[in-house]
Amino acid sequence: MTQQQHRKKAVAAKEQINKQAVATLPQTGDQDSLITVLLGILMLVVALGSIGLNKKFN
């Protein structure tokens, strides 16, 4: 085998490892983060609505 063939084989093996690593990414809890953000927005809307009602009745 020539040196160029060794390089091609090494690059192919490295690409295969990279493909396997990408296919098995860890789950990072994105769904939990979304729920937290939505809950925060809901609390903000309720707080602003409460302030608006207090001003309306006073």
Side-chain angles (χ1 to χ4, degrees):
M1 251 190 211
T2 66
Q3 192 175 13
Q4 188 175 12
Q5 288 173 332
H6 281 291
R7 285 185 190 152
K8 286 182 181 179
K9 197 172 189 180
V11 168
K14 195 172 192 179
E15 287 176 354
Q16 182 67 24
I17 290 171
N18 288 340
K19 286 179 184 177
Q20 289 173 350
V22 169
T24 58
L25 292 175
Q27 298 297 320
T28 58
D30 287 341
Q31 187 66 27
D32 294 337
S33 177
L34 178 63
I35 291 171
T36 304
V37 169
L38 292 176
L39 184 60
I41 291 171
L42 177 65
M43 289 173 49
L44 179 65
V45 168
V46 168
L48 292 175
S50 175
I51 291 170
L53 287 176
N54 282 340
K55 286 185 177 183
K56 184 178 180 179
F57 289 118
N58 287 337

